[in-house]
């Protein structure tokens, strides 16, 4: 977080309210313009939101043919593997909605190694964006979803890892994950994730309360380092909200 980018904390009653609120925000972000870009997240926190998008009434509010779907990080496994973040997003909603298939942009985990997958995904992002350098006045994404790990990681940006310092690359390979599942990862970097009109952290379980308290108190953990060109929102269920 930077001084100019104070997070807005939004506390909701429970996981169902969190999914509803996130879905509403997503629809607001994608409903205008010729095309919209959403960067999804892995883990369990977004699944309620994904399932809501798959069924009416929200399903019919998403302009499916105009929205592009990216993934902020993935495990270096085939999409058919239960550990795959894009596989999970497809099963939860992308497979059952009228999304344009060419608008779904998975991290290419069939590449030879995570570094090659990262290079290929960065090239794809640059082609989509239409430039090799991110312009703060023209964000890459309309919405970036983020999760919070129990160690304070977000995307596949783990505490004390070199990837936290990456300023040039948009995407990097992570040979060793900082926590389970211990499979190599591919992750967008902070500057690429920050290139968004809105970033929303989803915190949907009470067991995140302690780590969230540390992050909001300013401890130098990966999720605290995340920033956004646009709005930075922490969407939190009440049971996870630290005492004030
Ligand atoms: C991943 C995720 C990761 C996740 C957090 C929270 O690939 O593992 O992108 O950053 O968001 O670990 O996971 P939960 O939502 O399952 O708590």
């Amino acid at each position: 977080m930077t001084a100019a980018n104070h997070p807005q904390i939004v506390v909701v009653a429970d996981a169902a309210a969190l999914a509803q609120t996130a879905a509403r925000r997503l629809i607001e972000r994608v409903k205008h313009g010729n095309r919209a870009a959403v960067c999804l997240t892995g883990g369990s926190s977004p699944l309620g939101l994904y399932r809501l998008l798959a069924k009416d009434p929200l399903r019919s509010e998403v302009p499916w043919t105009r929205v592009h779907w990216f993934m902020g990080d993935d495990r270096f496994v085939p999409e058919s593997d239960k550990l795959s973040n894009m596989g999970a997003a497809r099963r939860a909603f992308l497979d059952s909605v009228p999304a344009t298939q060419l608008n779904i942009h998975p991290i290419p985990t069939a590449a030879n190694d995570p570094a090659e997958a990262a290079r290929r995904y960065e090239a794809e992002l640059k082609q989509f964006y239409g430039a090799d350098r991110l312009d703060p006045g023209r964000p890459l994404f309309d919405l970036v979803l983020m999760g919070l790990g129990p160690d304070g990681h977000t995307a596949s940006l783990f505490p004390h890892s070199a990837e936290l310092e990456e300023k040039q690359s948009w995407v990097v390979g992570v040979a060793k994950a900082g926590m389970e599942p211990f499979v190599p990862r591919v992750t967008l970097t902070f500057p690429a994730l920050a290139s968004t009109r809105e970033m929303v952290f989803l915190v949907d379980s009470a067991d995140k309360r302690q780590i969230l308290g540390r992050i909001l108190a300013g401890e130098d953990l990966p999720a605290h380092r995340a920033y956004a060109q646009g709005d930075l929102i922490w969407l939190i269920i009440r049971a996870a909200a630290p005492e004030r």
Side-chain angles (χ1 to χ4, degrees), residues 41-205:
T41 183
S44 57
S45 321
L47 293 178
L49 157 66
Y50 294 169
R51 291 185 190 118
L52 272 187
L53 295 176
K55 52 180 206 249
D56 279 333
L58 294 174
R59 183 182 194 266
S60 48
E61 288 190 49
V62 178
W64 293 105
T65 55
R66 291 197 288 103
V67 187
H68 289 253
W69 306 94
F70 295 88
M71 189 56 77
D73 75 307
D74 216 330
R75 293 85 182 262
F76 195 67
V77 295
E79 270 186 26
S80 55
D81 191 302
K82 66 176 183 348
L83 294 178
S84 165
N85 288 340
M86 188 52 97
R90 285 194 196 272
R91 288 187 292 278
F93 80 111
L94 290 171
D95 281 350
S96 45
V97 294
T100 304
Q101 287 309 303
L102 285 175
N103 292 2
I104 300 174
H105 304 263
I107 291 174
T109 54
N112 285 330
D113 53 53
E116 185 195 318
R119 280 193 297 277
R120 281 171 46 186
Y121 205 48
E122 180 165 322
E124 185 167 345
L125 285 168
K126 286 178 172 172
Q127 191 185 27
F128 176 79
Y129 185 63
D132 283 353
R133 291 179 79 89
L134 292 166
D135 170 357
R138 186 171 72 86
L140 169 60
F141 299 116
D142 293 283
L143 177 69
V144 169
L145 300 173
M146 300 281 262
L148 171 65
D151 58 350
H153 82 264
T154 188
S156 284
L157 296 160
F158 294 97
H160 314 297
S161 64
E163 293 81 27
L164 297 179
E165 311 299 335
E166 183 57 52
K167 303 279 189 291
Q168 298 302 320
S169 299
W170 297 16
V171 190
V172 291
V174 180
K176 265 185 101 162
M179 65 169 285
E180 60 187 17
F182 291 106
V183 286
R185 315 286 185 98
V186 180
T187 188
L188 269 64
T189 58
F190 284 128
L193 292 164
S195 185
T196 182
R197 296 184 195 285
E198 178 171 334
M199 175 181 283
V200 180
F201 276 87
L202 303 171
V203 184
D204 76 334
S205 77

